Amino acid sequence: MSLDRRNFLIGLGASLLSPSPRAHATNFPARPLTLIVPLGPGSSVDVILRTLAASAEKRLGQPIVIENRPGAGTTLAPGQMAATAKPDGYTICQLGLPVLRAPALRKTTFDPSMDFTYIIGLVQLVSGLVVRHDAPWLTLGDLINAARRGTITYGTVGVGSDAHLTMELTARRQGIQWVHVPFSSGEVTALLGGHIHAVASGSVWAPQVNSGELRLLATFGARRTTYWPSVPTLTDSGVDVVIEGAYGLAGPRDMDVAVVATLHDAFKAAMDQPRFAAAIANFHQETHYLDSTDFRAFALGQIEKQRRLVEELGLRLN
């Protein structure tokens, strides 16, 4: 037998004995997975994803370890995952609108149009604008008119957040100005204490709205929320602004399609469980399921939309 033929047969035998990427994918998962939550323990996202993971791991047959990694307005952890995680499906991360907006605001180490594999869309945040129950403004129009006459201050979770963009777009399109006060936490407490006039944020204010301590003037989505159906949206109030903070799960780029399908199916089955619906309702948020293809399409559309909005506001950050 010639040396070349012998080497060929040895190589062929090795290839037959070695598992192919597809064979590896069919055995996925063979060990525990890590789900990175880019917020601290106890946040609504953390609690909801822990509930979801507890159901999904039963279908996957492997534990899902939650790793809290807050920072940079939820953009630090996804960027780290994109840079360092293997695309084997064992490391995935929550990914929301701030990640898709980040390259428009500042220089980033990742490109959300290329550096992530979009697995599944999960949740639609309910966001809105609240004032104290004893405030003189009964409607959004009242607050806008007050801003025409004097200084109105509002709090959000930070510069470049969904709520910050929403409020600044509203001001720009209404020809007014109001003063932004960013908080790392405690914005609702500041409002209740009379230190600011309003808060624009996700539904952290829900308990106080339900108890009557705060008044919800408008929500920021395309349609009214089922939790407070009598409260108008911004568009209902004559303001042509819609910001919807949906989020889902993603992994690093170039994940195997079979692995993505396995993860998608496990988390979709978990979404259908009563525990997930209860967790969503507890935080006054809404289910927003998107399959892998639709979640990627949503992300690509939002990347362009957020770029245009940031340019309109001139909000590029150093």
Side-chain angles (χ1 to χ4, degrees), residues 72-76 78-79 94-106 108 110-118 160 162 165 244-250 290 294-310 316:
T74 75
T75 67
L76 178 65
Q94 186 264 10
L95 188 146
L97 203 56
V99 179
L100 306 178
R101 183 187 302 126
L105 288 170
R106 59 185 179 274
T108 60
F110 59 86
D111 179 349
S113 68
M114 298 176 59
D115 292 334
F116 300 107
T117 299
Y118 293 90
D162 296 354
L165 259 69
E244 295 185 312
Y247 69 80
L249 300 179
L290 296 171
D294 289 342
F295 188 30
R296 183 175 187 276
F298 167 82
L300 294 178
Q302 284 295 328
I303 292 166
E304 176 58 23
K305 178 181 179 180
Q306 297 304 311
R307 183 191 64 78
R308 294 196 304 267
L309 294 180
V310 169
R316 182 80 181 180

Side-chain angles (χ1 to χ4, degrees), residues 51-52 55-56 58 266-279:
T51 302
L52 193 70
S55 295
K58 293 177 182 178
F267 282 101
K268 178 60 174 69
M271 290 180 72
D272 295 335
Q273 299 301 310
R275 290 181 62 195
F276 177 71

